Every structure is written in structure tokens, then in C-alpha cells.
Amino acid sequence: MCGIVGYIGHRKVTPIIVEGIKRLEYRGYDSSGLAIIDKNGELKIHKKLGKIIELERTLPAPSELEGTLGIAHTRWATHGKPTEVNAHPHTCCHGKIAVVHNGIIENYRNLRKKLESENHTIKSETDTEILVHLIEHFEHETKDLTAAVQQALKLVEGTYGIAVISSDHPRKIVAARKGSPLIFGIGRDEFFVTSDVSAIIIHTKRVIYLKDDEIVTIEPDHFEITTLDNKVVKAKISEVDWDVSSIEKGEFKHFMLKEIFEQPVSVENAFRGRLVSELSSVRLGGLNMTGEELRSIERLQIVACGTSWHAALIGKYIIENIARVPVEVEYASEYRYRNPIVPPHTPVFFISQSGETADTLAALYKAKAKGALAYGITNTIGSTIARESDGGVYIHAGAEIGVASTKAFTSQVTILTLLAVLLGRMRNLAPTFGAAFIKELQKIPQKIQQILDDNDKILEIAKTLVASKNALYLGRGVNFPVALEGALKLKEISYIHAEGYPAAEMKHGPIALIDENMPVVAIAPDDVIYDKIISNLQEVKARNGRIISIATEGDKRIIEHSENVIYIPKTMQTLQPLLSVIPLQLLAYHVANLRGLDVDQPRNLAKSVTVE
Ligand code: F6R
């Protein structure tokens, strides 16, 4: 939710860390700040309310901020309002130590009382400031920054990714993590720390993903990773496989639009190497399950939040339909606080683009505590959910920077269709279906492209929604969760209230809302319940509702029921969501853009919700 970047090396630090937090601005954008050790060995801190551009505008002249070591932060407020005082970095009483922090210190109230009784003056409302005073306390005793951080963290309950510098140790950054990502980057004669690799991949792709309770002490020519008990850790260096272009907007106005347009490629990347034509089946090696284990699965649970939860609902429909394995789908935030029943032979899948969502992670721990095997479906290599799972599948969507998830959703759905076919083929699913599925899935990227080619037409239709205050999205069967996803996209970036409903449920209440001011987006592809959804549309039309239909190309009948129609290519029902969601993403994008809103960084939101 917040972003951390730190640098130590031979280059000027300020431009590097400011550029770094700009790349993380999608993670939080209430306020930002930086701290460096300047060329005179002094700690200099600058913070600003608002977006990073405000920080940049108000930075002192470069000559006053010269140094080769520093840390920076972009914040999404949790404890305390977004104000300059509450912005990071925080410093201590003697002003020589600075800390940036992601996560939440749960016992900060008690720690604050204790520190205040020892005459520490706490200036902000944040939990983070407690950390820097604790470190000050132990640094006074030990005269060693690493030891002080270790001692301080032992008193802390909660989650953290932190980076610490001190003018008493002017050639050192100490960084640590627990439950919040922290990545250490190894460049040429320079080192980086960050909470998200996209901040540093223009500098290096060689990284170490710190594990919980690990601390890295970085000096210009050397680093050491230890535990909180000061045991040395030999960590593995990984190579990030993202391309730098994946974190640039290129010719697109917004990341969201770029990511929508990347879907022909990202969907293909999700299934590439996983289709086994000879067996009319698929391979998901990361699950680490034998054929026997796959066959012994009696039911599945899928747990996720937000858009990933919508993907899970589609997964339920498809897995139950073609593999005949019962699936329960749960919100992670609910699962973690109840007493879920996990019967034997029930693997629990956790879907998360970021792999760091706090509720999903807590739900994963809950399932494991109940003895279940946990499987992650994530986009982020080395993320906590990926690491804590017993197996899993990477969706390989590439960096998703727009706060509203688009390409990750279609990649998650692609993986769930693969899982459905795999489980089905291990049971009674006919090889003819497996073969037809593989053939059709391979055509999906090109079919997505066909819809994207209609972007100008979708923009024109979006103009009819710009002034709306509400919108209703209707779908049936596998397209009901697509309706939910379409409504979520519209509300989160355009701030128009929107709801998704199973089309036939409308007459049990929401139909009361229908009048000429209520646009209705109906997902009505040509399938077994087409006639039913047409009847639902007649009910809307009879009440003067304005209908935008998503229909299968060649469908002429839909025209008389709709004010506007967006056509999608024909495909098998299992794969329809991969097509029907694309116009909904584009509609939401254009409406928000036409309303002049900040599409990539909508208000109150942040990418990757690492707090409860
Ligand atoms: C909406 C959106 C969110 C996320 C949700 C879960 O566009 O992006 O609803 O889907 O916060 O995030 P992950 O998938 O990272 O666990």
C-alpha cells in the first residue's frame, strides 16, 4: 500500500530514490518523503502532502541534497491522517535516525506510552514513529545500527517492511521485513532496497527477496543478511524476469489502458507451455501434485478479495461445470475470522495478483493451521503468498501498475480454466472436450484483439454513461461474476455507483431502480440462457431502462432490445468471460477518462492492500 525505495552507491541518491517512489506511486499517494545522508554527513529529511510531484516541486536545490545514500517513501495513510507530520520518513528525538515503514505496528499504543514515559517526544499520530524512537533507544545502548534495529523489532507486534539510516552510521542502510515485502537489489557497485521490484528494475534485475524476520545491513561495498537473533543467512539471488517496458506507459495515456491492450499477450503468457495436446489436457507443474493426488481431490475452496474474488467465482462455475468438483468461494476477509470447515481432500486456493494482500495471506495461514494444503495463484514471483503456499501457479501477467486490475483478472481466469480442464481430464471429461478447449483457448488472444480493435466504438458508447449517477450490470451463469467485475471497474475509477446482479434477480428488488436515468449493461452472449436474458432485458426496456448489450457477433435480435450493442466473437461458454469482460474494462476506462479523473490512481485506493 505504501512504497519504499532506498539506495546506496556511487551515484547521486536523490534523483534515484525520487524516480523510484514515482514508480511506486500506484501503491499509495497521500504523501511522500525522503531522507538522505548529505555530503557533510548530515541527515536531511523532506516530506510533502499530496502526490510525489509536490515533493519534487518543493525539494531544495540539488546542491543542498547531495549524497549517495538515502531512503524514500510514498504513503497510503492508515494510522493518522495524510499530513506532512504523519508522512515518512520519521525521525527520533535527536534527529539523527530516519525510518520508512510499510505495514502496521499493532502494539504501538503500549510502546508509545512506554517511550513517552522515558521522555521521548512523539510528534506524529503514526505507528511508524514508535519504531524510530525504539531504534534510537537501542542505538544509544549498542552504538550499532543493525543491533539497534534487531532489538527494536523484537519488541514489535505486527507487520513491517522498513529501511533505516542514521547520520551516526553514514555509510549504512539497514532494512528488514516481517509480513510486508522488502526486496534487496544488487547492482554494479551499488545496492537498492524496495518494497516492489518495479521501483528498481531499470537499475538491476538481481534481487534477494528477504524473508520474514530477516535484516539486511548494506554498506557501499558489502552486505550481510542476518536474522533478528543475528544469525547470518545465506540468501538466494533471483533474476527478475520483467521487461523494463512493462513498467513504462509507452504510447498509452494511462497504465490501465496499456494493460487492457496487453491482454492478447498476457492471456497467452498464462497458458503458454501449459497445454498438452497429445493428452488433450493441461499441465500445471507448480501445483506439485501427482495424478493420484489430483484425482483424490473431493472439493476445492478458493479464497480471494476484490477482482481476484470475481475470478474465483468464475472458476467455481467452470470447475463445477466441467470437472464436476464442488467449489466454495470465500472472501478472504471473512474466511480469516470465522471457523471455516476444511474437509479432507480439499485443497484451498488463494488468488492474489500482488501475492501480498493482508486478508488473503491471513486466510492462507488459517487454512494451513487447519491442516489444509494451500495453493497460490499469483502474479508476483517471490511474494509472500507464493512463498507460504504448498504449491501454486504463476499467472505471468507482467507488472500491473494501474490500480484497477484488468490483465491480472483475465490471466487468473485463464489459469482457473486450465485447472478445470486438468481436474476434468483426471476424471470423466472427454478427450474431445479437452482437445476442443485447447484449440479454442489458443484463439482467445486473437479474439481479445478483435474486441480491442473496436475501442473507438466503445469510447462513443462510454460517452452515454458519463453523466450517469448509477449503473446496473446484469449477467447470468458464468457471466454473472463478469457483471460484478464490470460494476467494480466502473465504480472504482469513475466513482459512479454501479452494481452487478444475476439478471433474473432483478425482479426481486433492483427493478424498482429502473427508469430512463438508469443505464443497464447486459452481458448477453449467445448461449443456453440467451432467451432468458432477453426476457430480462424486455423487463428493463418496458420500464424505459437504457441498455448497453454485450452480445455475440452476428446477433441481430439483441438490437431491438438495446440502445447500444458491443459485439464479442463467438467462443465456447467456458471461455466467454475472457471476452465479455474486455468491453466492460474499456467502458469503465473511457467513462473515468472522459470525466477527467485520475484513472491509474483513483481516490482512496491503492494497489496491493497489505493492511486489514
Ligand atoms: C480492483 C482490484 C482489487 C484487487 C484486490 C485483491 O480492481 O484491483 O479489488 O483485486 O485488492 O488484490 P490482490 O489480487 O493483489 O490480492
Side-chain angles (χ1 to χ4, degrees):
M1 314 231 21
C2 305
I4 291 176
V5 181
Y7 173 80
I8 178 166
H10 49 88
R11 291 190 278 161
K12 288 188 179 146
V13 62
T14 306
I16 295 175
I17 56 178
V18 170
E19 173 63 25
I21 52 169
K22 271 175 150 176
R23 292 194 185 275
L24 300 193
E25 197 165 27
Y26 71 113
R27 295 194 153 249
Y29 29 85
D30 293 335
S31 53
S32 59
L34 60 81
I36 70 155
I37 307 293
D38 76 4
K39 57 180 191 264
N40 303 318
E42 279 174 27
L43 181 73
K44 291 274 169 71
I45 298 183
H46 288 275
K47 314 201 262 193
K48 201 72 197 164
L49 188 61
K51 295 212 161 189
I52 296 167
I53 185 88
E54 303 300 331
L55 178 77
E56 267 188 306
R57 272 199 203 118
T58 51
L59 281 179
S63 57
E64 285 178 48
L65 269 185
E66 253 181 57
T68 55
L69 179 162
I71 53 179
H73 189 265
T74 176
R75 176 169 189 249
W76 188 86
T78 54
H79 287 70
K81 293 194 188 74
T83 62
E84 212 157 290
V85 176
N86 288 339
H88 302 209
H90 288 281
T91 189
C92 53
C93 299
H94 62 39
K96 290 182 174 179
I97 304 174
V99 170
V100 290
H101 165 229
N102 290 353
I104 290 194
I105 308 301
E106 275 156 15
N107 58 340
Y108 84 101
R109 280 197 185 80
N110 290 345
L111 292 171
R112 182 176 181 134
K113 266 192 216 143
K114 189 167 177 297
L115 285 161
E116 282 175 337
S117 72
E118 290 166 5
N119 293 329
H120 284 263
T121 309
I122 316 272
K123 295 179 278 299
S124 75
E125 302 160 287
T126 65
D127 50 341
T128 303
E129 196 187 334
I130 305 308
L131 273 177
V132 69
H133 288 274
L134 281 177
I135 294 168
E136 175 183 37
H137 171 86
F138 288 111
E139 199 276 340
H140 183 69
E141 279 177 10
T142 60
K143 306 287 177 237
D144 180 317
L145 192 59
T146 307
V149 174
Q150 285 166 330
Q151 299 301 325
L153 293 180
K154 281 187 186 168
L155 298 182
V156 158
E157 287 163 22
T159 57
Y160 53 78
I162 58 164
V164 186
I165 60 174
S166 160
S167 54
D168 280 341
H169 307 270
R171 289 163 59 79
K172 202 176 264 189
I173 298 180
V174 178
R177 78 156 268 169
K178 182 177 188 179
S180 188
L182 218 278
I183 297 144
F184 170 55
I186 304 168
R188 274 203 192 162
D189 305 323
E190 56 186 3
F191 298 115
F192 303 82
V193 283
T194 183
S195 51
D196 179 334
V197 283
S198 52
I200 62 168
I201 57 168
I202 56 160
H203 303 294
T204 182
K205 291 186 173 183
R206 297 181 71 221
V207 299
I208 292 175
Y209 297 96
L210 287 196
K211 296 202 182 104
D212 279 354
D213 296 322
E214 287 182 353
I215 292 200
V216 59
T217 304
I218 318 161
E219 293 181 56
D221 50 2
H222 135 270
F223 70 90
E224 184 172 66
I225 299 176
T226 56
T227 62
L228 288 192
D229 293 323
N230 208 29
K231 294 207 176 77
V232 175
V233 174
K234 205 166 161 17
K236 177 173 155 259
I237 300 178
S238 308
E239 192 80 21
V240 180
D241 65 357
W242 288 357
D243 193 56
V244 175
S245 66
S246 69
I247 55 159
E248 308 281 357
K249 278 199 284 248
E251 77 213 51
F252 291 94
K253 183 170 176 195
H254 293 104
F255 278 108
M256 182 181 177
L257 190 61
K258 174 178 177 248
E259 288 157 9
I260 291 172
F261 272 80
E262 278 172 354
Q263 291 175 105
V265 175
S266 54
V267 165
E268 184 153 5
N269 285 344
F271 67 70
R272 176 177 295 125
R274 290 171 166 158
L275 305 178
V276 191
S277 301
E278 319 78 85
L279 300 175
S280 304
S281 187
V282 306
R283 181 191 307 121
L284 295 173
L287 293 180
N288 304 323
M289 284 197 223
T290 61
E292 202 176 321
E293 283 165 340
L294 285 165
R295 266 186 294 275
S296 72
I297 293 174
E298 286 173 10
R299 53 198 310 122
L300 293 179
Q301 293 180 346
I302 313 183
V303 181
C305 303
T307 285
S308 299
W309 184 78
H310 295 155
L313 287 180
I314 294 173
K316 170 182 168 70
Y317 184 93
I318 297 171
I319 295 166
E320 290 189 345
N321 199 26
I322 67 178
R324 312 303 298 151
V325 175
V327 180
E328 291 165 55
V329 174
E330 283 233 31
Y331 282 119
S333 53
E334 292 297 313
Y335 193 91
R336 66 180 289 189
Y337 284 120
R338 54 181 204 86
N339 192 5
I341 299 166
V342 192
H345 305 291
T346 306
V348 189
F349 280 76
F350 296 86
I351 308 183
S352 174
Q353 186 284 128
S354 59
E356 301 292 349
T357 300
D359 283 328
T360 312
L361 185 59
L364 182 147
Y365 290 136
K366 181 93 176 208
K368 286 187 82 163
K370 293 200 165 274
L373 287 175
Y375 295 88
I377 298 180
T378 75
N379 193 26
T380 314
I381 314 263
S383 59
T384 313
I385 290 177
R387 282 213 307 254
E388 296 294 321
S389 299
D390 296 291
V393 189
Y394 283 117
I395 64 172
H396 296 308
E400 190 178 68
I401 310 278
V403 163
S405 184
T406 52
K407 63 175 179 172
F409 174 77
T410 43
S411 297
Q412 291 164 346
V413 171
T414 305
I415 297 301
L416 290 162
T417 64
L418 297 182
L419 182 62
V421 171
L422 176 65
L423 294 174
R425 292 289 294 118
M426 290 286 166
R427 291 166 174 75
N428 295 323
L429 191 69
T432 45
F433 183 96
F437 168 84
I438 289 178
K439 207 164 149 210
E440 185 56 23
L441 182 60
Q442 284 168 324
K443 291 187 194 152
I444 289 292
Q446 172 247 314
K447 291 186 178 182
I448 293 177
Q449 187 57 53
Q450 204 178 314
I451 303 168
L452 296 173
D453 292 343
D454 266 349
N455 185 34
D456 289 346
K457 181 182 166 193
I458 297 171
L459 166 63
E460 288 309 307
I461 297 174
K463 289 180 185 166
T464 68
L465 291 177
V466 173
S468 305
K469 294 209 159 40
N470 301 287
L472 210 53
Y473 284 67
L474 303 178
R476 299 191 71 149
V478 72
N479 282 305
F480 159 54
V482 177
L484 294 178
E485 176 59 8
L488 177 61
K489 287 292 90 97
L490 187 73
K491 68 185 136 194
E492 69 181 320
I493 58 169
S494 73
Y495 318 146
I496 294 174
H497 167 244
E499 283 187 71
Y501 257 93
E505 267 297 301
M506 203 187 43
K507 53 185 166 300
H508 299 288
I511 199 163
L513 296 168
I514 304 283
D515 63 14
E516 62 285 1
N517 298 317
M518 173 64 89
V520 173
V521 181
I523 306 153
D526 180 12
D527 60 22
V528 283
I529 40 175
Y530 177 78
D531 286 335
K532 302 282 175 201
I533 200 158
I534 290 289
S535 321
N536 302 140
L537 295 190
Q538 277 164 338
E539 292 156 10
V540 173
K541 202 159 175 229
R543 285 152 187 91
N544 298 326
R546 294 158 41 208
I547 300 171
I548 299 171
S549 296
I550 314 297
T552 306
E553 60 188 354
D555 178 0
K556 299 264 184 316
R557 203 173 136 200
I558 196 90
I559 297 171
E560 65 178 281
H561 303 287
S562 319
E563 192 175 274
N564 282 294
V565 181
I566 303 171
Y567 285 111
I568 58 173
K570 193 169 179 55
T571 189
M572 64 203 300
Q573 205 180 2
T574 312
L575 295 170
Q576 266 173 8
L578 292 173
L579 302 183
S580 56
V581 77
I582 308 289
L584 306 189
Q585 295 171 342
L586 283 171
L587 272 180
Y589 170 79
H590 289 308
V591 172
N593 189 36
L594 289 165
R595 285 164 75 107
L597 298 170
D598 191 343
V599 173
D600 282 335
Q601 291 166 9
R603 70 182 179 207
N604 306 338
L605 287 173
K607 194 86 178 161
S608 184
V609 187
T610 51
V611 294
E612 261 194 87

